[in-house]
Amino acid sequence: MTYLLALDQGTSSSRSIVFDRAGRIVAMAQREFRQIYPQPGWVEHDPREIWSSQLATAREVLAKAGIQAKDLAALGITNQRETTLVWDRRTGEPIHNAIVWQDRRAEPTCAALREAGAEPLVRERTGLIIDAYFSGTKLKWILDAVPGARDAARRGELAFGTVDSWLLWQLTGGKLHATDVTNASRTMLLNVHTNQWDDELLALLDIPRELLPQVLPSSHVYAHSEVDLLGAPVAIGGVAGDQQSALFGQACFRPGLAKNTYGTGCFMLMHTGAAFQTSANGLITTSAAQTSPQKEYALEGGVFIAGAVVQWLRDGLRAIKGSSEVQSLAESVPDAGGVVFVPAFTGLGAPYWQPQATGAIVGLTRGTTVAHIARAALESIAFQSAALLAAMSRDAVAAGAQPVSELRVDGGACVNDLLMQFQADLLGIAVVRPKVIETTALGAAYLAGLACGVYKGLDELSAQWQVERRFLPTMPRERAAELMARWERAVRQATAA
């Protein structure tokens, strides 16, 4: 039997999954770790906890699967993107907590860059817009805030990385400082036309080149893990940021195929092939997972708060005791009773890009119950995703392609049938849930398997993708349009201030 290990390092937990060659889950292990909120709008992780939780789950999953490290053909890494770490090359110690992708502290830097007219340069070189979401301005903040950091960086004493680079460093005992093209494309520092770090962008943020990791394809034999970590050296054959990894795990290998991942946030990507396509509708262009030097791209839209709205119902509003209760509570009412919930807890992402927006619940009446709010919270995930898909389809048509004809879905919240049916109703197209919804981890396993010869090519992986359920729209299009118009009105209210 051939086994592949995926290390899936996420925003709220670290997971490890063992897959067999057919892409079936053999065993899974997961550990949550601390979320650190030093002040409003700031989110941090302890890099040591990221690594210790990830290593613990890797050891645990091998035990659960009843196998040893020597039985693995390869391992792949997928990770929360944009989260920014800097560490001392000699000691391996972080110089600051990791600054998480959700963190907004670099917004003043972004405002200054926009004011200076840097937006067209950033857009053309990176495919991104200027936003505190991306790693470059977070890195600048660390270099500014930690005494002596920039000088130490110039002397080559420090290393910067996204979470994949941190895991690669740890897995190889500090021998490898590298990243893959998908993670590098999220830093606002990579020229995605050349896959090289861009000197002009580095100068713009005063970031020394000596800090930066080597950029490699997503499917590539990076190195072997240290023997003492898992009990035997394991080939590290795949690395990709979580959303590009999910696109790969969903077998979206050709232009026009799109997926939406329903996690803490919601991320929709549409493969655009070798064409670098700039969005006219509030989306960003990003590098897709690359299995060769051939460049591949995707259009992406990100919703900052998706599944996290259910956590807020549980922890903030205390409306439910556990996240699993939300579907039954929402189903206890026939609709949201006119309530619309805009969960802009950390601003609004694509296609709005309103960093100052705050959350709003509108349409409350004397008859509103907590069940209506729960239903509106669930529906907010679908509304935000529908706005993304509409923008994506407009871009596709503008580029001479067909609108998106079906949406492949994955992530924790896609198991919610009520949410998936409402999503199909709003979109007016099929929403397709695969048999394996852990597609983020599966993509990493597939990338590693390709690099290490487990699979011959993409056709073999496409043949393994299987549908579990297809949700077809049942709502009249006029009603869906009315609901979307109501959503857009609520968004205008949330951003009016």
Side-chain angles (χ1 to χ4, degrees):
M1 184 71 82
T2 301
Y3 297 104
L4 295 160
L5 172 62
L7 306 183
D8 182 358
Q9 205 300 301
T11 307
S12 54
S13 68
S14 296
R15 298 190 306 163
S16 292
I17 303 180
V18 171
F19 293 94
D20 66 15
R21 191 182 184 286
R24 293 180 295 242
I25 294 173
V26 178
M28 185 188 313
Q30 180 169 352
R31 293 198 184 189
E32 291 193 1
F33 56 89
R34 279 187 309 149
Q35 307 295 303
I36 302 164
Y37 305 105
Q39 61 185 64
W42 292 27
V43 191
E44 296 180 356
H45 292 155
D46 182 337
R48 300 170 199 83
E49 289 180 21
I50 290 176
W51 167 239
S52 63
S53 60
Q54 190 64 71
L55 178 60
T57 61
R59 289 170 171 167
E60 184 184 336
V61 82
L62 292 177
K64 277 188 173 180
I67 63 173
Q68 295 179 303
K70 63 182 175 58
D71 300 318
L72 295 170
L75 73 80
I77 296 170
T78 184
N79 56 283
Q80 53 167 317
R81 302 173 305 169
E82 298 96 18
T83 294
T84 301
L85 302 92
V86 179
W87 62 94
D88 185 297
R89 289 181 186 271
R90 187 178 58 81
T91 65
E93 284 298 305
I95 68 166
H96 192 277
N97 273 343
I99 300 182
V100 179
W101 59 273
Q102 298 156 314
D103 189 283
R104 304 303 299 171
R105 76 186 68 184
E107 176 52 31
T109 298
C110 294
L113 290 172
R114 292 186 211 106
E115 188 68 26
E119 188 94 58
L121 172 70
V122 168
R123 193 77 193 247
E124 192 276 323
R125 301 277 173 89
T126 70
L128 310 176
I129 66 162
I130 294 174
D131 192 84
Y133 175 30
F134 304 111
S135 312
T137 53
K138 299 181 197 297
L139 175 55
K140 180 185 188 310
W141 187 94
I142 292 174
L143 295 179
D144 289 342
V146 177
R150 189 170 273 103
D151 288 340
R154 289 198 179 98
R155 292 193 299 269
E157 295 169 6
L158 302 181
F160 150 73
T162 41
V163 170
D164 57 306
S165 298
W166 174 243
L167 294 181
L168 283 169
W169 181 274
Q170 298 293 341
L171 285 165
T172 61
K175 295 184 182 72
L176 181 66
H177 184 212
T179 188
D180 94 297
V181 65
T182 66
N183 281 294
S185 77
R186 312 297 297 185
T187 60
M188 226 168 75
L189 303 172
L190 187 84
N191 184 323
V192 296
H193 305 279
T194 64
N195 284 347
Q196 303 290 320
W197 300 115
D198 189 282
D199 287 326
E200 212 170 335
L201 296 174
L202 294 177
L204 202 61
L205 292 170
D206 193 16
I207 290 171
R209 181 177 274 273
E210 292 82 1
L211 267 176
L212 304 177
Q214 179 185 4
V215 181
L216 296 166
S218 313
S219 183
H220 175 85
V221 181
Y222 282 72
H224 285 74
S225 64
E226 292 284 277
V227 176
D228 62 330
L229 295 176
L230 299 174
V234 182
I236 305 166
V239 176
D242 52 12
Q243 303 313 320
Q244 288 97 330
S245 190
L247 189 72
F248 200 85
Q250 285 276 31
C252 295
F253 304 137
R254 55 186 171 79
L257 289 177
K259 72 89 200 172
N260 196 24
T261 298
Y262 297 80
T264 304
C266 237
F267 295 90
M268 191 180 293
L269 275 75
M270 178 179 72
H271 206 293
T272 60
F276 176 87
Q277 183 184 335
T278 301
S279 171
N281 293 285
L283 304 179
I284 56 177
T285 308
T286 197
S287 294
Q290 294 174 10
T291 59
S292 71
Q294 168 71 45
K295 294 169 189 67
E296 296 187 55
Y297 301 100
L299 282 175
E300 175 176 333
V303 169
F304 295 155
I305 299 292
V309 75
V310 178
Q311 293 170 336
W312 180 80
L313 285 176
R314 182 191 68 195
D315 303 333
L317 206 57
R318 307 226 171 152
I320 52 175
K321 288 192 173 66
S323 299
S324 58
E325 295 174 25
V326 72
Q327 179 164 343
S328 57
L329 182 59
E331 283 179 336
S332 69
V333 288
D335 54 43
V339 176
V340 183
F341 190 155
V342 182
F345 300 148
T346 54
L348 282 173
Y352 306 105
W353 295 109
Q354 294 276 354
Q356 308 305 330
T358 53
I361 302 174
V362 302
L364 297 173
T365 67
R366 186 69 182 81
T368 299
T369 67
V370 72
H372 292 112
I373 293 171
R375 187 162 185 129
L378 267 190
E379 290 181 352
S380 75
I381 302 171
F383 279 126
Q384 292 176 98
S385 297
L388 283 183
L389 192 99
M392 208 164 264
S393 289
R394 287 195 296 272
D395 281 332
V397 170
Q402 293 297 311
V404 178
S405 58
E406 70 172 29
L407 183 64
R408 298 181 178 186
V409 298
D410 54 63
C414 87
V415 300
N416 190 306
D417 292 348
L418 175 74
L419 174 59
M420 292 301 100
Q421 184 58 54
F422 188 65
Q423 188 71 85
D425 286 341
L426 285 181
L427 297 176
I429 61 173
V431 167
V432 185
R433 186 167 64 199
K435 283 193 173 171
V436 178
I437 63 166
E438 300 293 349
T439 51
T440 302
L442 183 61
Y446 278 168
L447 288 164
L450 274 175
C452 296
V454 174
Y455 306 110
K456 293 186 180 69
L458 299 183
D459 289 346
E460 188 177 354
L461 297 179
S462 289
Q464 290 196 173
W465 186 81
Q466 292 180 295
V467 176
E468 183 263 326
R469 182 165 172 187
R470 189 179 290 269
F471 296 85
L472 299 173
T474 57
M475 183 183 287
R477 297 312 301 144
E478 300 78 17
R479 176 61 179 155
E482 284 171 18
L483 290 173
M484 282 306 298
R486 185 184 293 171
W487 163 259
E488 295 295 347
R489 277 199 303 277
V491 168
R492 286 195 294 275
Q493 286 178 261
T495 56

